Amino acid sequence: MAAKNLVERRINSLVVIGGDGSLTGASIFKTEWPDLLSELLKEKQIFPGNAKHCSFLNIVGMVGSIDNDLCGTDMTIGADSALHRIVDAMDCLASTAASHNRTFILEVMGRHCGYLALISAIAGPCDWCFIPEAPPEENWRELIVAKMKRASGAAKRFGLIVIAEGAARTLR
């Protein structure tokens, strides 16, 4: 259906912005394009002139990944906005945690890449950070408890722990 819609509108170029799934899908779509055109022509679902105009599909792929995990780039599309939202959430959680004398745990996106967790931990009021690239030490529970006790003794009224989603599996 996508191929038919593009050909009917005489669109022969796409800009795909996304992560691995979107860019892989775009690559597959481009590979299958000639067969899709042949099938649509055979079934008389498109006009031959439109098929000729769209005989070659141009695709430009741009990485849009909040993980900021594309080698050779300073910042991927989406990473800065995601980081901004996380730091805002941390600020809100910190004030709530302080007013109730609590420790909060914030899980952020990052199945294989801890960039968002690590940078937000540096930028915000974080006491501990877990990322998939650096599994925690075996005694991580005791280390956190000791750190929180020291902070409590220093009159700190709250705690905030940031966990990348991919690191959560290593904490069992």
Side-chain angles (χ1 to χ4, degrees):
M1 187 57 116
K4 180 182 176 195
N5 288 332
L6 289 171
V7 173
E8 284 177 347
R9 290 160 180 79
R10 297 176 61 90
I11 297 171
N12 62 358
S13 300
L14 295 175
V15 176
V16 178
I17 302 171
D20 186 49
S22 301
L23 298 177
T24 299
S27 177
I28 292 169
F29 191 53
K30 182 173 176 56
T31 302
E32 294 177 352
W33 186 253
D35 294 334
L36 292 168
L37 282 183
S38 296
E39 185 179 320
L40 290 168
L41 273 170
K42 182 178 158 186
E43 295 174 2
K44 298 185 189 246
Q45 292 189 36
I46 58 173
F47 295 113
N50 288 351
K52 185 176 180 186
H53 175 79
C54 296
S55 62
F56 187 81
L57 181 64
N58 300 292
I59 295 183
V60 173
M62 296 177 65
V63 175
S65 167
I66 63 169
D67 289 333
N68 201 35
D69 58 354
L70 179 66
C71 181
T73 63
D74 290 335
M75 183 78 61
T76 57
I77 297 169
D80 187 55
S81 344
L83 185 57
H84 179 78
R85 299 294 179 268
I86 293 167
V87 172
D88 279 351
M90 289 173 69
D91 288 340
C92 293
L93 287 172
S95 62
T96 302
S99 68
H100 296 286
N101 198 22
R102 299 280 189 257
T103 295
F104 284 0
I105 299 171
L106 175 64
E107 184 177 4
V108 300
M109 290 188 211
R111 189 173 46 244
H112 303 294
C113 177
Y115 173 81
L116 289 175
L118 184 60
I119 299 303
S120 65
I122 292 168
C126 181
D127 295 293
W128 207 273
C129 179
F130 293 98
I131 59 173
E133 297 91 334
E137 298 175 37
E138 292 217 11
N139 63 336
W140 65 269
R141 290 173 183 87
E142 293 83 11
L143 293 171
I144 288 178
V145 169
K147 180 174 174 109
M148 295 301 182
K149 283 182 179 177
R150 282 192 308 275
S152 177
K156 185 173 178 192
R157 296 181 37 180
F158 72 95
L160 185 58
I161 299 168
V162 176
I163 302 174
E165 65 180 315
R169 285 179 254 130
T170 67
L171 301 180
R172 304 204 189 317

